[in-house]
Amino acid sequence: MRTIRRRRFLPLAAGTAALALTLSACGSGGGEAADDSGAPAADVLEQADGVTEVNFWHSMDGTNGETLDALITDFNAANQGKIEVKGVYQGDYDTTITKYKAAVQSNSTPTMVQIYDIGTQFMIDSGAVLPTQAFIDRDEYDVSDLQPNIAGYYSINDELWSMPFNTSMPVLYYNKTLFEAAGLDPETAPETLDEVGAAADQLSKVNGGPAEFGFNAAIYGWLLEQEIAASGELYCSPDNGRSGERATEYTLNNDSAVEFVDWWKDLVATGVAGNTGRVTADAQNAFKSGTIGMTLESTGALRGMQKAAEEQGFELGVGFYPKIEENDSGPIIGGASLWVSGEGHSDAEKEASWQFMQYLAEPATQATWHTGTGYFPISKAALDEPKDVEWRKQYPQFDVAVQQLEATQLTSATQGCSAGSMPQARKAAEDALEGALLGGDSKTELTDAVTELQREVENYNNSVQ
């Protein structure tokens, strides 16, 4: 079994960020779990008395939550008298990780938890979880069916820390009906920022086009991360924190980032693009109304977009996430993964969580998840399941995400930045993007964000070792 590196938590000076304070608290409460590293013996469930309960915290609501609940019910039925998973909705991603941090400090963590992508480094550093790699090594579990670009995000130095679950990628959504009305080819999605800008000009009401705005998207820091990766550049240094060395600085003010923000700013300034602010639902609803030509959003929103298009009477188009220029790079996966808590949980609970993780990763389960939610399957074989094949024939827009993932090379750039202060970095990026769209200088706004983030990354790194 692979040796898991020990981590020691250091005392912090006054004024250290709240996130670092949480990590400091983890040092006494959960550090031993990561030090043990060890997956329990494989037969602990057989030796357990009664039913082993898995308290599973997650952030899936609406249709996604209903689909997850159905999967939990099926798993429990198949393991009746042995394992019972109890799914508990905790709120959105930010709320769930905040609750988990509090649970670490009070030694009351759930057995298993779903945590969003940018929470990965914190979870590793918390000392409260067991790495999925420990179970993989123990069982010689075959990971060849996992999509490499998806597993790669949750891997540090070739060590898989959590099991990927709900996975999305950003794509370009466009209104084919408006494209046709504007004299554009509805079957050809723009591929570069220049092409998106040119199409937006032709679509926009300000230029006599049929759309209220040719382009609109939420002020969301994730989109900046995507454009940087799609240009083959790094969001943080060194090596996006992916080679075993901690990220020591953010580089989100690089040339590609500035060019992307300048591009967006110019569209807003000329009235070609709208500005619905930071709330993702506001930007989605604007596009769903049928009055916006194009938007950038997650593939996880595709089912809702498709339903709205049918209700509003327009045809939905989906294209690759637009790049500054064509290259072999691509966007980063998003979404969340599943973590097994260590400290305070029995070996049977840990093993039951691992069994549930494996069930969720199975091709048939992932086909159900994919078709039920629109999230990308983590299993390559899921795409060959009859249910999935038929579903994509009915909704060919979903094949765009498949093709985009397959066309994206796994590199440090496309793995994304792994840093404990990534939640703060995303917020800082949104501040910078909003400042630019409201008239600020793009380079200045982004550089100010990087400068402010330097203290965050230093505080975080000083809190763990």
Side-chain angles (χ1 to χ4, degrees):
M1 183 180 296
R2 180 174 314 197
T3 300
I4 308 301
R5 295 178 296 279
R6 293 176 180 266
R7 288 180 169 80
R8 177 169 57 90
F9 295 87
L10 303 178
L12 304 174
T16 301
L19 176 63
L21 287 173
T22 302
L23 284 170
S24 179
C26 296
S28 59
E32 293 183 1
D35 289 347
D36 291 342
S37 84
D43 61 353
V44 293
L45 280 174
E46 283 67 29
Q47 300 171 12
D49 293 330
V51 178
T52 299
E53 183 176 306
V54 174
N55 182 22
F56 171 38
W57 287 7
H58 66 81
S59 297
M60 298 287 95
D61 60 358
T63 301
N64 297 341
E66 292 170 3
T67 304
L68 178 57
D69 286 343
L71 293 178
I72 291 173
T73 298
D74 289 346
F75 177 82
N76 286 342
N79 291 274
Q80 190 171 7
K82 182 180 177 183
I83 303 172
E84 182 178 7
V85 176
K86 293 186 176 180
V88 184
Y89 175 71
Q90 295 295 326
D92 63 18
Y93 289 144
D94 285 322
T95 301
T96 298
I97 196 170
T98 298
K99 288 182 177 180
Y100 192 81
K101 291 171 184 176
V104 170
Q105 294 183 69
S106 62
N107 294 320
S108 59
T109 58
T111 325
M112 188 170 119
V113 63
Q114 177 197 33
I115 295 293
Y116 63 172
D117 48 3
I118 58 174
T120 298
Q121 189 63 54
F122 168 81
M123 292 297 287
I124 293 172
D125 291 331
S126 73
V129 296
L130 291 178
T132 301
Q133 192 70 49
F135 294 96
I136 291 170
D137 291 346
R138 184 199 70 186
D139 294 348
E140 298 183 352
Y141 177 79
D142 184 6
V143 297
S144 62
D145 184 48
L146 297 180
Q147 289 281 358
N149 281 42
I150 297 175
Y153 186 95
Y154 299 104
S155 299
I156 304 294
N157 206 21
D158 297 324
E159 187 174 312
L160 186 64
W161 275 87
S162 57
M163 180 64 79
F165 179 47
N166 57 305
T167 300
S168 60
M169 294 189 85
V171 290
L172 174 77
Y173 291 97
Y174 67 102
N175 186 318
K176 285 188 173 184
T177 304
L178 290 177
F179 261 53
E180 189 169 11
L184 297 165
D185 181 0
E187 303 306 319
T188 303
E191 296 182 353
T192 65
L193 295 184
D194 283 345
E195 290 176 1
V196 172
D201 282 340
Q202 197 164 332
L203 285 159
S204 296
K205 181 176 68 174
V206 71
N207 293 326
E212 183 71 21
F213 294 105
F215 176 82
N216 182 70
I219 298 174
Y220 187 19
W222 188 55
L223 299 179
L224 180 64
E225 296 162 35
Q226 302 297 339
E227 196 60 51
I228 290 172
S231 298
E233 294 204 58
L234 301 178
Y235 193 86
C236 61
S237 179
D239 205 33
N240 260 351
R242 293 292 176 174
S243 60
E245 185 177 352
R246 288 187 180 278
T248 56
E249 63 178 339
Y250 287 97
T251 54
L252 55 90
N253 61 338
N254 56 51
D255 291 344
S256 295
V258 173
E259 187 169 350
F260 175 59
V261 176
D262 273 342
W263 168 85
W264 195 339
K265 175 183 175 181
D266 288 344
L267 292 182
V268 172
T270 57
V272 169
N275 182 0
T276 49
R278 300 191 188 202
V279 180
T280 298
D282 290 346
Q284 286 187 9
N285 290 336
F287 181 81
K288 288 177 180 179
S289 72
T291 63
I292 303 296
M294 294 170 286
T295 191
L296 301 176
E297 242 310 342
S298 161
T299 52
L302 184 45
R303 287 211 66 162
M305 295 291 200
Q306 183 68 48
K307 181 180 179 182
E310 293 170 357
E311 292 174 348
Q312 295 295 326
F314 67 89
E315 187 175 359
L316 180 68
V318 181
F320 282 15
Y321 192 81
K323 305 175 182 179
I324 293 174
E325 58 184 25
E326 294 184 15
N327 57 48
D328 293 330
S329 194
I332 314 162
I333 65 101
S337 63
L338 306 175
W339 298 79
V340 177
S341 296
E343 184 78 2
H345 296 279
S346 69
D347 284 350
E349 289 175 316
K350 299 168 191 174
E351 182 62 26
S353 297
W354 170 235
Q355 295 297 324
F356 182 48
M357 279 186 175
Q358 292 179 81
Y359 162 76
L360 292 177
E362 290 174 0
T365 309
Q366 280 294 300
T368 298
W369 181 245
H370 183 205
T371 58
T373 66
Y375 279 113
F376 197 90
I378 67 169
S379 160
K380 291 183 288 187
L383 297 171
D384 296 324
E385 291 285 322
K387 173 191 292 187
D388 208 286
V389 171
E390 289 303 314
W391 186 68
R392 283 180 287 120
K393 284 181 180 178
Q394 183 179 359
Y395 300 108
Q397 295 92 341
F398 284 88
D399 267 331
V400 173
V402 175
Q403 295 160 5
Q404 181 172 251
L405 188 68
E406 292 176 345
T408 298
Q409 295 184 5
L410 182 62
T411 65
S412 295
T414 59
Q415 278 183 288
C417 172
S418 178
S421 51
M422 265 302 291
Q424 291 92 325
R426 182 171 288 179
K427 171 65 165 54
E430 289 167 3
D431 290 343
L433 179 54
E434 184 172 55
L437 296 187
L438 293 176
D441 178 74
S442 300
K443 179 70 173 180
T444 300
E445 295 284 349
L446 291 168
T447 299
D448 286 349
V450 167
T451 301
E452 292 174 6
L453 285 168
Q454 191 59 39
R455 181 175 60 181
E456 295 281 357
V457 74
E458 288 174 358
N459 282 344
Y460 184 94
N461 289 346
N462 286 338
S463 73
V464 293
Q465 185 173 332

